[in-house]
Amino acid sequence: MTLRLLTYPKDATALRTPGKGITSAMRESPEFLINLEAMKTMLVELEDGAALAATQSNWSAQLFILSQDENFRAVEPRVFINPKITKLGKKKVKASEGCLSLPGLFLDIARSEEIEWEYETVSGEKVAATAKGYYARAIMHEINHLNGRLMVDDAPPAQKLGVVKKWLAVQRDN
């Protein structure tokens, strides 16, 4: 399997397909390590993104990488395996989001300002954590990708109607 960045609408079916959970046997396979390194390289080369979900890179796996920390500082890409949100905070904040798989589109998305979530490390350690602000937003965005959802799914109805026009304009300009 060759990893590549999937884009909408060309790769809509693949982007809408949830990734498969990662087992310890899968984590120890040579393919896992090769794909993981390819994803890290892809994220660095893309330059515009802070995170990348495996499902965006043509790999059906419950995994994403994030190259910024909680304070927006660039860091070596961190790997989050089998992530899931366990609790959404009640307070929602609307902010502009972009997506590598929807190039040129930015939508105002309301997301919980704080989350509780769980994930596994590459070595298999289970971690429970909280995240706030931008970091929580990035995590929710990537977990959505792993579950076959795109940011447009969370956009207000009026923006959803405008997405087709925006998308056509972006395609026309490219």
Side-chain angles (χ1 to χ4, degrees), residues 24-161:
S24 57
M26 293 165 79
R27 197 184 335 257
E28 295 169 6
S29 73
E31 179 187 32
F32 178 84
L33 296 175
I34 290 167
N35 286 348
L36 191 54
E37 289 308 311
M39 274 186 66
K40 288 178 183 178
T41 300
M42 189 184 309
L43 182 58
V44 169
E45 289 175 352
L46 289 169
E47 296 178 6
D48 289 338
L52 182 66
T55 52
Q56 282 180 279
S57 62
N58 202 33
W59 181 16
S60 179
Q62 287 285 318
L63 173 154
F64 73 89
I65 57 176
L66 188 56
S67 63
Q68 290 184 346
D69 69 9
E70 296 87 345
N71 299 308
F72 305 103
R73 291 184 300 239
V75 295
E76 281 295 314
R78 292 182 60 197
V79 179
F80 302 96
I81 297 172
N82 297 326
K84 66 178 181 179
I85 296 170
T86 57
K87 184 177 181 184
L88 292 169
K90 291 181 182 174
K91 181 179 178 188
K92 291 197 174 210
V93 175
K94 189 180 280 191
S96 181
E97 282 186 30
C99 180
L100 293 169
S101 291
L102 297 162
L105 290 180
F106 294 89
L107 300 172
D108 292 329
I109 307 295
R111 296 199 189 268
S112 293
E113 184 172 52
E114 185 173 353
I115 62 168
E116 293 178 16
W117 68 303
E118 299 173 347
Y119 63 90
E120 298 169 21
T121 64
V122 174
S123 64
E125 176 187 358
K126 294 183 188 238
V127 178
T130 60
K132 296 179 183 178
Y134 164 80
Y135 202 65
R137 177 173 294 279
I139 291 164
M140 287 182 277
H141 181 106
E142 297 310 314
I143 289 175
N144 274 355
H145 273 300
L146 298 179
N147 294 319
R149 290 181 56 84
L150 300 174
M151 67 178 186
V152 70
D153 298 332
D154 296 314
Q159 278 196 323
K160 284 181 183 179
L161 291 174

